[in-house]
Amino acid sequence: MGKQYRDQEYLVKLGKRIIEIREAKNITQEKLQELTGLDTRQIGRIERAETNVSISSVKLIADNLKISVPELLDFSKLADK
Amino acid sequence: MGKQYRDQEYLVKLGKRIIEIREAKNITQEKLQELTGLDTRQIGRIERAETNVSISSVKLIADNLKISVPELLDFSKLADK
């Protein structure tokens, strides 16, 4: 197993899910970045599945989207765009 | 916000939850490490909340514990040991 294990398919689904919820709540990417205080490009990189995001950052994003982590990570309703 | 955001309280809960499910399924830490193929000490470090584990590794652990990620991250039933 390489230095850090990475599940790109899962990261793509996570990115789509964050965009889906963020847009449903009319929150811009800039606003979410501001709310979370994460590094300016980090939200974009997470949404584009360019980074193997930590569970702490996933929790921070869920908190600021005002949903639970399990709800954020429930991809069952994710439309296959 | 420092280099990488870290939610230690959440990481502690995650570690407890993994131990709780792993033990309920009679899977040793060594067995889970073997199943996941993660670095030998990584499971122990995750369970002791010593590492800000990536979402990919959380998914890998959930898969090998044969539960969904949302279920693994549902701490509502976590006994406050």
Side-chain angles (χ1 to χ4, degrees):
Chain A
M1 187 69 63
K3 177 75 190 63
Q4 195 192 45
Y5 172 77
R6 182 189 185 102
D7 183 334
Q8 187 58 26
E9 195 188 318
Y10 192 76
L11 293 171
V12 167
K13 283 182 183 171
L14 174 62
K16 279 185 190 174
R17 178 73 171 151
I18 291 172
I19 294 169
E20 183 182 61
I21 294 174
R22 181 171 60 70
E23 289 178 348
K25 298 189 173 219
N26 296 313
I27 298 173
T28 62
Q29 200 179 75
E30 292 67 29
K31 183 64 182 166
L32 185 56
Q33 181 268 316
E34 195 189 297
L35 288 167
T36 59
L38 287 173
D39 167 34
T40 31
R41 294 169 309 283
Q42 187 70 353
I43 298 289
R45 292 180 64 226
I46 293 167
E47 291 188 351
R48 290 187 305 271
E50 291 171 0
T51 177
N52 191 10
V53 56
S54 75
I55 191 68
S56 293
S57 295
V58 169
K59 169 74 161 56
L60 183 63
I61 289 168
D63 289 351
N64 284 283
L65 290 174
K66 304 230 180 323
I67 56 169
S68 70
V69 172
E71 210 181 333
L72 176 63
L73 298 177
D74 177 3
F75 302 158
S76 56
K77 301 173 207 82
L78 194 64
D80 281 326
K81 283 180 204 120
Chain B
M1 186 67 65
K3 176 74 193 60
Q4 193 191 44
Y5 172 77
R6 183 189 184 102
D7 182 334
Q8 187 58 26
E9 196 187 315
Y10 192 75
L11 294 172
V12 167
K13 284 182 182 170
L14 174 61
K16 281 184 189 173
R17 178 71 171 153
I18 291 172
I19 295 170
E20 183 182 58
I21 294 172
R22 180 169 61 69
E23 290 179 348
K25 296 187 176 222
N26 295 314
I27 298 173
T28 63
Q29 201 178 76
E30 292 67 31
K31 184 64 183 167
L32 185 56
Q33 179 270 314
E34 196 188 296
L35 290 167
T36 59
L38 286 173
D39 166 36
T40 34
R41 293 170 309 281
Q42 187 70 354
I43 299 288
R45 292 181 63 229
I46 293 168
E47 291 189 350
R48 291 187 305 272
E50 291 171 359
T51 178
N52 191 10
V53 57
S54 75
I55 190 68
S56 292
S57 295
V58 168
K59 169 73 160 57
L60 183 63
I61 290 168
D63 289 350
N64 284 283
L65 290 175
K66 304 224 179 327
I67 56 169
S68 71
V69 172
E71 210 181 331
L72 176 63
L73 298 177
D74 177 2
F75 301 158
S76 55
K77 301 172 207 81
L78 195 63
D80 282 325
K81 280 178 210 126

